[in-house]
Amino acid sequence: MAGTTRILERREIDVCGIAGWVDFERDLRQERRTAQEMTGTMACRGPDDEGLWLAPHAAIGHRRLAIIDLAGGRQPMTAPEEGREEGREAAVLTYSGEIYNFEELRAELEGHGHVFRTRSDTEVLLHSYLQWGEDLAEHLNGMYAFAVWDPRAEHLLMVRDRMGIKPLYYYPTAHGVLFGSEPKAILANPLARRVLEMDGLRELLAFVKTPEHGILSGLYEVRPGQVVRVSRDGIVKRRYWRLSSREHPDDVSSTVKTVRELLDDIVTRQLISDVPLCTLLSGGLDSSMVTALAAKLLREQGLGTVRSFSVDFTGYSENFKPDLTRSTPDTPYVHELARYAGADHSDIVLDSAALMDPAVRSAVLRARDLPMGIGDMDTSLYLLFRAIRGHSTVALSGESADEVFGGYRWFHDPQSVAAETFPWLASPATAAHAGAERLFHDDLLRLLDLPGYRAERYRQALEEVPRLPGESGHERRMREISYLHLTRFVQILLDRKDRMSMAVGLEVRVPFCDHRLVEYVFNAPWAIKTFDGREKSLLRAASADLLPDSILQRVKSPYPATQDPGYDEALRERARELLELRDSPAGRLVDRAKARATVEEPASPGSRAALERFVQLHYWLNRYDVGLAL
C-alpha cells in the first residue's frame, strides 16, 4: 500500500484555530468587534493570517499559520451558489486539521463535475460538503474539526474527527450557538457565562474524561466522530462513526502483516508536507517505530532522512531512580534508535528553572484553558514543542499506540483488569493524578462524592461497549478495557498534545489514531494482541525489521517527569505563597490546614499532583474570572 501515495506534494498546511457565532434573532453584521475578539483568541493556533465572514445570522472566524498558498487557502472559504454571482454563497467553511485522503477525494469530486481553484485540502473539504452534505464526514480520513454554515438552509454543521485528535467546543445560546477550537474563543463572547458548578468540578477532578462534557456550565465538546447541526429548530447531534465489534478473520501472521501494511500507508500519507517535518522520539517502541518507518520511507524515495527530537532533563539519566512506571531512562534508547535508523537527532534538555518559570507556566495554563494539566509533564511538553518549532512545523508522534495495542501496565495487571472501575483509576501508577482532590474541604468532598461520580460514569461507559455475540470471560473484559481507553483515556492525552503543540504553532500528527488501524486492532482478540505473552505484541512483530532488539524488548516507559528535588521545592514555595492570599477563589475549595501539611511533607507523586492542581485552580479561577456555584 505504501507505494500508492507520494510522500511529498506541495500543498497548504492548515495549522489553524476556528471560532464562530450563529444567532437567528440578531444581525451579527453589527457584532464584528465581538466576533473579531473571539477569533483573535485563536492567534496562537494561527499567528499569520485572520479571516472573518459576516452575514445577518452567522459570524465565521479563522486563524491560520501560513505555510504556502496563502491566498489559495485563506479561510473562511466560501463556495458561490451555482449559477449565481460571487457574494451569494452556497456554503462557508472554517476548518482546522489535515485531510490525508484529499487527493483521492479531489479526483472523485472532479468526476462529479467539481472544478477547483486551489490545491488545498480546504477546498476539497468545502466541495465535499456541496456533494454529500452532512454525510461528507464518512468520506474523510484525517484529523479535523470544522464548521460549515449553509446560508441557503440557514444551518450550521460542526464536525469532529473520529478519534478526537482536533478539539471543538460549543455553547448553545437562547437563539443559536457559539463555537471554537478552544473554550477561550467562546469565553470571549459576553453571552458565555463563566460558571463552575458541582458537576463541572466533579468532572474536573474525576480523571475519567466524559465525552461531550465541557466542565463549565453550558459548555460542550463535539464528541469524536460526531456531527452537530444547529438550526432554528434547535440542536441535533448524530454519531457518524463509533467503534463496532465484529469477528476477526485473520490468524496471528496475517494480523501482523495487515498491521504493518496499514502503518506503511498511514505514515506515508502523514509524511506529506512541504514544510520541515520531524518525529518525536522517546526510545520506546511506539515512537521508535514511527521514526524508523519514516526514515525508511524517506530514504527509499531519495528524500534524505528524518529529523527527530526528544526531551531530557539536566542530570536525569545520571541520577535516574526507577519508580512504579519508569524502570529506565529514555536517552540511551533514543540515541541508539537515532543511530540505527540514521535519524538527524537533537535532544532538548530542560532544567527545573525552566519548568517553574512563571511566564512558561502561565503560557501552559492559558493553553490548557481548564485546570486539567499534568504538572511538569505539560510544561516540559510545551518547552519541547517550542524548541522543535524553531526547526520544524510538523511532527509525527507515537501517541495513542498504548490505547490501540494495549500497552499500559494496567492492561496486564489482574487486579486493575478485575476492578469495577476505569482501570487507570485502579492502578498505583496513576493513583496520584486521580487523587488530586486531597486538599479539598471534607464537607466539599462529601458533596462531590467523587467515588459515586466515577462509578456512574463507568457504568455509562460500559453500556456503550459494542458486544460481540458469543464473546465471554477474559476476551469480553479486555474488549471493555480497550473501549474505555479508546473513548476516554486517549482523549486526556490527545487534548494535552493538541494544546501544548498548537500553543506554539506546531502541528503534531498521530499515525496510530488512523481509524482504519483502530477499527482493525480493536477487533483482534486479546489472545492475538498478546500472542508473545507481552504488551503490544502486534506492534512489536510489525516493527521487527525496523528496530534493534533492545528497543523491541524494552518495557513500556511513559513520558518522563522530572526527578529534580528543586522542582518540588519551587512548587511547594508557590503553594505557600498562594495559601497566604485570603481572597483566592481556590482558597475557598481547599482546607488550608491540609494544604499546609501537604506543603511540608516529603515530596511524593501524590503531594506533587495535589499541589499542582491547587496552583492550576488558582490561576484558572482568577485568569478567567470563573464564578463558583457549588
Side-chain angles (χ1 to χ4, degrees), residues 411-436:
F411 273 91
H412 310 273
D413 171 40
Q415 287 187 328
S416 298
V417 169
E420 294 184 3
T421 187
F422 296 98
W424 54 90
L425 297 180
S427 170
T430 52
H433 297 301

Short mmCIF file of all heavy atoms in Angstrom, two decimals, residues 411-436:
data_model
loop_
_atom_site.label_atom_id
_atom_site.label_comp_id
_atom_site.label_asym_id
_atom_site.label_seq_id
_atom_site.Cartn_x
_atom_site.Cartn_y
_atom_site.Cartn_z
N PHE A 411 -3.24 -2.85 31.73
CA PHE A 411 -3.87 -3.83 30.83
C PHE A 411 -3.49 -5.25 31.23
O PHE A 411 -4.22 -6.21 30.92
CB PHE A 411 -3.39 -3.61 29.39
CG PHE A 411 -4.19 -2.61 28.59
CD1 PHE A 411 -3.84 -1.28 28.57
CD2 PHE A 411 -5.28 -3.02 27.83
CE1 PHE A 411 -4.54 -0.36 27.81
CE2 PHE A 411 -5.99 -2.10 27.07
CZ PHE A 411 -5.62 -0.77 27.06
N HIS A 412 -2.36 -5.39 31.89
CA HIS A 412 -1.79 -6.72 32.16
C HIS A 412 -1.71 -7.01 33.65
O HIS A 412 -1.09 -7.99 34.06
CB HIS A 412 -0.40 -6.80 31.52
CG HIS A 412 -0.41 -6.37 30.09
ND1 HIS A 412 -0.69 -7.25 29.05
CD2 HIS A 412 -0.22 -5.15 29.51
CE1 HIS A 412 -0.66 -6.57 27.90
NE2 HIS A 412 -0.39 -5.31 28.16
N ASP A 413 -2.34 -6.16 34.46
CA ASP A 413 -2.39 -6.35 35.90
C ASP A 413 -3.75 -6.93 36.27
O ASP A 413 -4.78 -6.26 36.10
CB ASP A 413 -2.17 -5.01 36.60
CG ASP A 413 -2.43 -5.10 38.10
OD1 ASP A 413 -2.05 -6.12 38.71
OD2 ASP A 413 -3.04 -4.15 38.66
N PRO A 414 -3.80 -8.16 36.76
CA PRO A 414 -5.10 -8.81 37.04
C PRO A 414 -6.00 -7.99 37.97
O PRO A 414 -7.22 -7.95 37.77
CB PRO A 414 -4.70 -10.14 37.69
CG PRO A 414 -3.34 -10.42 37.14
CD PRO A 414 -2.68 -9.08 37.00
N GLN A 415 -5.42 -7.30 38.96
CA GLN A 415 -6.26 -6.52 39.88
C GLN A 415 -6.89 -5.33 39.17
O GLN A 415 -8.07 -5.03 39.37
CB GLN A 415 -5.42 -6.06 41.07
CG GLN A 415 -5.06 -7.17 42.04
CD GLN A 415 -4.38 -6.64 43.29
OE1 GLN A 415 -3.67 -5.64 43.24
NE2 GLN A 415 -4.59 -7.32 44.40
N SER A 416 -6.12 -4.64 38.33
CA SER A 416 -6.67 -3.49 37.60
C SER A 416 -7.72 -3.95 36.60
O SER A 416 -8.75 -3.28 36.41
CB SER A 416 -5.55 -2.74 36.88
OG SER A 416 -4.61 -2.21 37.80
N VAL A 417 -7.47 -5.07 35.95
CA VAL A 417 -8.42 -5.59 34.97
C VAL A 417 -9.74 -5.98 35.64
O VAL A 417 -10.83 -5.75 35.10
CB VAL A 417 -7.81 -6.80 34.22
CG1 VAL A 417 -8.88 -7.52 33.39
CG2 VAL A 417 -6.66 -6.34 33.32
N ALA A 418 -9.64 -6.55 36.82
CA ALA A 418 -10.84 -7.04 37.51
C ALA A 418 -11.60 -5.94 38.24
O ALA A 418 -12.76 -6.12 38.61
CB ALA A 418 -10.46 -8.14 38.50
N ALA A 419 -10.95 -4.80 38.48
CA ALA A 419 -11.58 -3.72 39.25
C ALA A 419 -12.83 -3.21 38.56
O ALA A 419 -12.85 -3.04 37.34
CB ALA A 419 -10.58 -2.59 39.46
N GLU A 420 -13.85 -2.93 39.34
CA GLU A 420 -15.11 -2.42 38.79
C GLU A 420 -15.05 -0.90 38.68
O GLU A 420 -15.85 -0.16 39.27
CB GLU A 420 -16.28 -2.88 39.65
CG GLU A 420 -16.49 -4.39 39.60
CD GLU A 420 -17.70 -4.84 40.37
OE1 GLU A 420 -18.43 -3.97 40.90
OE2 GLU A 420 -17.95 -6.05 40.45
N THR A 421 -14.09 -0.43 37.90
CA THR A 421 -13.90 0.99 37.64
C THR A 421 -13.01 1.13 36.41
O THR A 421 -12.57 0.13 35.82
CB THR A 421 -13.28 1.71 38.85
OG1 THR A 421 -13.29 3.13 38.60
CG2 THR A 421 -11.85 1.26 39.08
N PHE A 422 -12.73 2.36 36.02
CA PHE A 422 -11.79 2.58 34.94
C PHE A 422 -10.43 2.02 35.38
O PHE A 422 -9.97 2.35 36.48
CB PHE A 422 -11.67 4.07 34.63
CG PHE A 422 -12.95 4.68 34.11
CD1 PHE A 422 -13.80 5.38 34.96
CD2 PHE A 422 -13.30 4.54 32.78
CE1 PHE A 422 -14.97 5.94 34.49
CE2 PHE A 422 -14.49 5.11 32.30
CZ PHE A 422 -15.33 5.80 33.16
N PRO A 423 -9.79 1.20 34.57
CA PRO A 423 -8.59 0.50 35.04
C PRO A 423 -7.46 1.43 35.45
O PRO A 423 -6.66 1.09 36.33
CB PRO A 423 -8.19 -0.38 33.85
CG PRO A 423 -8.95 0.15 32.68
CD PRO A 423 -10.19 0.77 33.22
N TRP A 424 -7.35 2.62 34.81
CA TRP A 424 -6.27 3.53 35.22
C TRP A 424 -6.49 4.10 36.61
O TRP A 424 -5.56 4.53 37.26
CB TRP A 424 -6.10 4.65 34.19
CG TRP A 424 -7.33 5.44 33.88
CD1 TRP A 424 -7.77 6.57 34.50
CD2 TRP A 424 -8.29 5.17 32.85
NE1 TRP A 424 -8.95 7.03 33.93
CE2 TRP A 424 -9.28 6.19 32.91
CE3 TRP A 424 -8.40 4.18 31.86
CZ2 TRP A 424 -10.37 6.23 32.03
CZ3 TRP A 424 -9.48 4.24 30.99
CH2 TRP A 424 -10.45 5.24 31.08
N LEU A 425 -7.75 4.09 37.09
CA LEU A 425 -8.01 4.55 38.45
C LEU A 425 -7.63 3.49 39.47
O LEU A 425 -7.42 3.81 40.65
CB LEU A 425 -9.49 4.90 38.62
CG LEU A 425 -10.02 6.05 37.75
CD1 LEU A 425 -11.50 6.29 38.04
CD2 LEU A 425 -9.22 7.33 37.98
N ALA A 426 -7.55 2.25 39.04
CA ALA A 426 -7.20 1.15 39.95
C ALA A 426 -5.71 0.88 39.98
O ALA A 426 -5.24 0.05 40.76
CB ALA A 426 -7.94 -0.13 39.52
N SER A 427 -4.95 1.57 39.15
CA SER A 427 -3.52 1.32 39.06
C SER A 427 -2.73 2.28 39.95
O SER A 427 -2.96 3.49 39.91
CB SER A 427 -3.05 1.49 37.61
OG SER A 427 -1.63 1.47 37.52
N PRO A 428 -1.78 1.76 40.75
CA PRO A 428 -0.93 2.65 41.55
C PRO A 428 -0.16 3.65 40.69
O PRO A 428 0.19 4.74 41.16
CB PRO A 428 0.03 1.68 42.25
CG PRO A 428 -0.66 0.36 42.23
CD PRO A 428 -1.46 0.33 40.97
N ALA A 429 0.07 3.30 39.43
CA ALA A 429 0.87 4.16 38.55
C ALA A 429 0.20 5.50 38.30
O ALA A 429 0.88 6.50 38.06
CB ALA A 429 1.12 3.45 37.22
N THR A 430 -1.13 5.55 38.34
CA THR A 430 -1.85 6.80 38.05
C THR A 430 -2.70 7.26 39.22
O THR A 430 -3.46 8.22 39.09
CB THR A 430 -2.75 6.63 36.82
OG1 THR A 430 -3.56 5.47 37.00
CG2 THR A 430 -1.93 6.49 35.55
N ALA A 431 -2.58 6.60 40.36
CA ALA A 431 -3.42 6.94 41.51
C ALA A 431 -3.23 8.39 41.95
O ALA A 431 -4.16 9.04 42.42
CB ALA A 431 -3.13 5.99 42.67
N ALA A 432 -1.99 8.91 41.79
CA ALA A 432 -1.73 10.28 42.24
C ALA A 432 -2.58 11.28 41.47
O ALA A 432 -3.14 12.22 42.04
CB ALA A 432 -0.25 10.61 42.06
N HIS A 433 -2.70 11.09 40.14
CA HIS A 433 -3.50 12.02 39.34
C HIS A 433 -4.97 11.93 39.71
O HIS A 433 -5.70 12.93 39.64
CB HIS A 433 -3.31 11.71 37.85
CG HIS A 433 -1.91 11.91 37.38
ND1 HIS A 433 -1.25 13.12 37.48
CD2 HIS A 433 -1.02 11.05 36.83
CE1 HIS A 433 -0.02 13.00 36.99
NE2 HIS A 433 0.13 11.76 36.60
N ALA A 434 -5.42 10.73 40.07
CA ALA A 434 -6.83 10.55 40.41
C ALA A 434 -7.14 11.03 41.82
O ALA A 434 -8.30 11.12 42.20
CB ALA A 434 -7.21 9.08 40.27
N GLY A 435 -6.10 11.36 42.62
CA GLY A 435 -6.33 11.79 43.99
C GLY A 435 -5.93 13.22 44.25
O GLY A 435 -5.62 13.60 45.38
N ALA A 436 -5.96 14.02 43.19
CA ALA A 436 -5.51 15.41 43.31
C ALA A 436 -6.45 16.26 44.15
O ALA A 436 -6.14 17.41 44.46
CB ALA A 436 -5.35 16.03 41.92
#
